[in-house]
Each structure stands twice: as C-alpha cells, then as structure tokens.
Amino acid sequence: MEHIKIENRFWDREMETLSRKEIEKIQLERLQAIVKYCYERVPFYTKRLDDAGVKPEDIRALEDIERIPPTTKADLTANYPYGLFAVPRKEVVRIHASSGTTGKPTVVGYTRKDLDTWSECVARVATMAGATDEDVAQISFGYGLFTGALGLHYGLEKIGASVVPISSGNTEKQVMVMKDFGTTALIATPSYGLYMTEVARDMGIKREDLKLRLGIFGSEGCTPEMRAQIEENIGIFVSDNYGMSELIGPGVSGECLYREGLHFAEDHFLPEIVDPDTLERKAHGEKGELIVTTLTKQAFPLLRYRTKDITRLNYETCKCGRTHARMDKTTGRSDDMLKIKGVNVFPSQIESVIMGLDKISPHYQLIVRREGFSDTLEVVVELADASVLERYSELEALQKQVRSKLHVVLGLDTKVSLVEPRTIERFQGKAKRIVDLRKK
C-alpha cells in the first residue's frame, strides 16, 4: 500500500541478519541443550528417547534431530494438563490453553523468562510488519486462555505502541472506538477484520474517516485474495503472522513489508518440512508438513512437534535484509484437508476462487455430506447484491461461473448454492467454514 513506506526496520538487527552458518551454530547449541533439558526434566521425553535408543549426547549435528520421534497433539492430550511441563508449577507464571472445541484443551505454561522470550518474538514480528511506537494498536482478539490477544498485547507494548485491549465482540463499538481513538493498527482474525469493514460501511463510516494504516492478522489463514479485499475496503496494509499455543503463541514467524514469506524466528524455533505420511525430510523448497522444535522454552518445551500445517521453507536472504528462513503461507492443515472423491481439497483453494469473483461476497461455507459410499461437497456462497436473486438467468450464469472456476482449481465438480447477503454466520474469532454432516 502506498501509505506505508518500505523501510528496513528491525527489532533486533544483529540477530535477524546473521549468516546461515551463524544461525545453524546457535540452533545446534540450543538443540543440544533443549534435548538434554527435556530428557532430564520431562518423564514423557525420557521414555520417548529411551524407547528410540537416543541419548542427548547423540545429537551432534542438526540432522541428528531426525532420530527423535515427533511429538503429536495426541501426546499433549494424553498428558493433560501438566504432564509435559518441565518446571515445578510454582515456576509457571502464566497458563494458556487451546480452544478445546473437540475435547480437552491443550494446556501450555510459561515461566517469567518464557514471557520475556514471547514478547521479544512478537516485537520482532510486529516491527517487521511495520508497527512502531507511534501506533495505536486495537486488539480485537478475544482475551482469555487463547494466546493471540495477550501475546500481541505484550509484544506491541514492548515496542512502545499504545495498546487498546478491546477484545472481540460488540462490533459497532469496535468501529466507534477505532474512529474515536484514532486506531492505526488493527489486530484480529482476517475474517473478523473483513466483517468489521462491513459494519463500518453500515454505520456510514468511510475509510477516510479512520486513521487505520496497518492490519496485523493471525489465528487463521489469510489468502492473498482475502487480504486484497480487506485492503481495498479500508485502505490498510495487511500483514500475516504465524504461531500456535503449543509452540508459544503468535510470534513464531511473520511477514515483513515485502510479504514474500513469513520470517521464522530460527534462534527460538527449529523448523523442518517432512512428508506428512512417511515423515521423511523434504528437500529444501519442497512443500510438506511443518515440524517445529522449541529451542528456548522453559516451562513447556516441545521436541519435533507436528503442527499439521502444510507449507515450505525458503532459506534465501529476503530483500528486507533478514536472513532467517521464510515459510510460505500455509495452504491448510493436513487435518483440515477434505478428501472428496479421491481429491484433496483445502478451504484456502476455494477462498481464493470466491474472493476473485464479482457479485460474490467473501463469505462462504463448505458442507460435506456422505452419499452412498462417497463424500460430496457443497459450496455455499453469499451474493453481494440480493437483487440478483430476482433475475434467474443472471443467477444461473453466476452459479455456473463459480462452479466452473472451482472445477478448474480443484479438478472436482462441486454443488454451488448462492444465498442472500448476510445469511452466512459471521465470527468474531476464527471462522468455522466447514460443516461436516457425515457424522450426523
């Protein structure tokens, strides 16, 4: 966007511009230390490594990490709530947890040093996105056990921004505060950011009435098409960042102003890309599942955690001057992937099609059903203008267009339903796009 100058701002220039050799030296030293730390302090890892015939002293090179069996979400669930903590509970000064929408939540803990590390990582991500101590940052994530709100809160405070901890919900008030407080940076999920632009329009507030210049979005995927839609609606520069509660929360990686991949904090996290089925390491530049080892966590360290996110890594130096690996935007989680008639389908593929069409709003829902012995997919899309429903020929042509473009991208024929504006549910947090009726 023209109102944000491309500048090489760094939070920690020295660390963010180390040579590959220097980065790998730090990683190996910290990997060796964290494996020993986990082996000595976490009974789960003592047994896991013993069963694999691996001792901490066997880790002599970065490649030796492959000898360690991956840690999975199931392992965390089996050790709920504190079984994987590496410090006594009295040293844990903060406890967060995942949403737990499909069962017990994943519980994570932080020592005081962990919180300092977390704030440092988020400060790095916020700075590379373009945030400064001049910003008024409105955090529209829900506060609570979710790591997103407090993670961004302390990181933005660390760089000196004025933080407005409004939380999520009451969208009209959000927009009022945004206008009255002179908010310059919005922190939210991209789908909620998009919804806020609708509400602002309904309230008669134009983009020139706001001082917004920057969106730091996360917690869910944001396709380039959705990003373009949000930027067009309210005239801001949208930056994406990546993280998850199990690893630390937000701050694992983030986009700089060139937006050519998300810079990994490789001094704190060691990323690998593997085949999600065989777990064999992929060659540099190949796409696969992201596995991450935390290198500096004290309370809740993880060795080779399977994120289930599909991406790839780029180790070339970015135009911004940062040298840490860059990860592509995730194309989806391997466990969010739908398999329809033998075809792998990610919601992000469908979103990229919908966002690029005229007369279609950016809101959609995917309905999966079981018919006979195979699964079917229905894509429900909102119209931008309800009057199209009164013109049958135009409606039919638009439906065929959406169906045709989806077929080209997916290689699959899907049912497409066009519905009235504002009939698909809006979400203040992570959007729930998939309605799975196979279990009912």
Side-chain angles (χ1 to χ4, degrees):
M1 305 290 288
E2 66 281 355
H3 54 287
I4 287 191
K5 291 175 65 179
I6 298 291
E7 297 179 10
N8 282 353
R9 288 200 187 101
F10 292 85
W11 176 250
D12 184 352
R13 180 183 291 271
E14 182 179 356
M15 182 59 72
E16 293 176 65
T17 59
L18 292 174
S19 69
R20 175 53 40 188
K21 184 177 180 181
E22 290 171 318
I23 292 172
E24 291 182 351
K25 181 176 184 292
I26 290 172
Q27 288 180 325
L28 179 56
E29 290 172 354
R30 292 182 174 180
L31 175 63
Q32 291 170 326
I34 203 69
V35 171
K36 185 173 186 291
Y37 182 84
C38 288
Y39 185 81
E40 292 176 350
R41 288 173 170 256
V42 184
F44 167 82
Y45 280 123
T46 308
K47 184 176 187 307
R48 178 63 63 88
L49 291 170
D50 282 345
D51 289 348
V54 179
K55 298 295 183 185
E57 55 269 23
D58 294 331
I59 307 300
R60 300 185 180 91
L62 288 176
E63 293 72 25
D64 292 331
I65 194 173
E66 296 178 51
R67 300 180 60 183
I68 300 172
T71 305
T72 67
K73 185 74 170 283
D75 295 325
L76 274 56
T77 302
N79 287 278
Y80 171 89
Y82 304 140
L84 292 181
F85 282 18
V87 298
R89 191 199 51 77
K90 67 178 182 179
E91 293 181 26
V92 176
V93 298
R94 177 89 65 77
I95 296 173
H96 279 284
S98 67
S99 60
T101 53
T102 57
K104 296 272 190 181
T106 298
V107 178
V108 298
Y110 301 79
T111 64
R112 198 166 299 282
K113 184 176 183 299
D114 286 335
L115 291 180
D116 289 341
T117 299
W118 191 12
S119 296
E120 182 76 15
C121 289
V122 174
R124 211 182 278 185
V125 164
T127 300
M128 70 175 72
T132 74
D133 56 4
E134 297 288 338
D135 279 303
V136 176
Q138 182 168 325
I139 298 182
S140 299
F141 281 137
Y143 280 72
L145 290 177
F146 168 60
T147 55
L150 285 169
L152 269 299
H153 181 126
Y154 283 99
L156 285 160
E157 278 190 348
K158 192 175 185 71
I159 69 173
S162 301
V163 173
V164 182
I166 193 169
S167 194
S168 60
N170 197 340
T171 308
E172 288 192 0
K173 182 178 180 181
Q174 295 261 1
V175 175
M176 179 194 77
V177 167
M178 193 183 298
K179 180 175 181 290
D180 295 348
F181 287 21
T183 298
T184 58
L186 174 63
I187 292 83
T189 63
S191 56
Y192 190 44
L194 192 60
Y195 177 48
M196 291 171 83
T197 70
E198 287 184 352
V199 173
R201 187 167 56 243
D202 291 346
M203 293 170 65
I205 294 176
K206 303 180 181 65
R207 52 190 279 180
E208 52 267 28
D209 297 329
L210 303 172
K211 293 185 178 179
L212 273 179
R213 67 178 193 91
L214 175 65
I216 301 178
F217 292 157
S219 184
E220 66 183 14
C222 182
T223 62
E225 292 79 11
M226 177 180 274
R227 180 179 73 193
Q229 181 79 59
I230 297 170
E231 290 184 337
E232 174 62 28
N233 285 3
I234 49 177
I236 64 174
F237 177 93
V238 172
S239 171
D240 200 1
N241 68 87
Y242 174 83
M244 58 175 54
S245 299
E246 298 94 315
L247 301 179
I248 201 168
V252 176
S253 68
E255 287 182 310
C256 70
L257 299 180
Y258 287 99
R259 297 193 299 203
E260 294 181 354
L262 286 72
H263 294 271
F264 232 87
E266 285 194 274
D267 49 324
H268 294 289
F269 307 95
L270 179 59
E272 305 171 67
I273 299 294
V274 303
D275 184 296
D277 297 318
T278 67
L279 298 184
E280 292 181 359
R281 183 185 285 266
K282 290 281 194 175
H284 279 192
E286 288 190 336
K287 186 175 289 189
E289 180 183 339
L290 176 68
I291 286 183
V292 180
T293 295
T294 63
L295 297 175
T296 55
K297 291 274 293 294
Q298 289 184 332
F300 190 72
L302 289 177
L303 302 180
R304 304 195 74 209
Y305 184 67
R306 292 191 64 177
T307 68
K308 297 299 186 77
D309 287 319
I310 305 300
T311 184
R312 61 184 164 196
L313 298 175
N314 179 354
Y315 288 90
E316 294 179 4
T317 299
C318 180
K319 286 185 289 191
C320 72
R322 291 177 176 85
T323 53
H324 291 223
R326 284 170 284 156
M327 61 178 280
D328 285 1
K329 284 175 175 284
T330 59
T331 55
R333 293 176 63 84
S334 58
D335 50 2
D336 278 347
M337 181 184 75
L338 301 171
K339 203 171 191 76
I340 308 295
K341 297 178 181 176
V343 177
N344 295 338
V345 177
F346 287 102
S348 59
Q349 293 174 294
I350 295 170
E351 182 175 296
S352 67
V353 171
I354 292 169
M355 293 289 175
L357 294 174
D358 293 333
K359 301 180 182 178
I360 295 293
S361 92
H363 302 284
Y364 65 95
Q365 210 167 46
L366 310 180
I367 300 177
V368 187
R369 298 181 176 89
R370 174 68 53 81
E371 295 182 3
F373 295 100
S374 64
D375 295 332
T376 63
L377 175 64
E378 178 184 2
V379 181
V380 181
V381 188
E382 272 189 15
L383 293 165
D385 181 1
S387 66
V388 175
L389 290 167
E390 301 168 6
R391 301 187 291 274
Y392 180 76
S393 60
E394 185 178 344
L395 181 68
E396 186 178 39
L398 185 58
Q399 188 177 39
K400 285 181 178 178
Q401 181 190 18
V402 177
R403 190 171 178 177
S404 174
K405 287 189 176 295
L406 285 173
H407 188 273
V408 170
V409 171
L410 303 178
L412 179 74
D413 192 26
T414 60
K415 179 181 179 182
V416 172
S417 298
L418 303 179
V419 298
E420 291 186 21
R422 305 295 180 93
T423 54
I424 292 177
E425 184 180 0
R426 305 309 197 247
F427 295 92
Q428 297 166 6
K430 187 179 295 187
K432 299 176 180 64
R433 304 290 193 193
I434 301 172
V435 179
D436 192 346
L437 301 180
R438 293 173 296 184
K439 302 170 186 175
K440 297 182 179 181

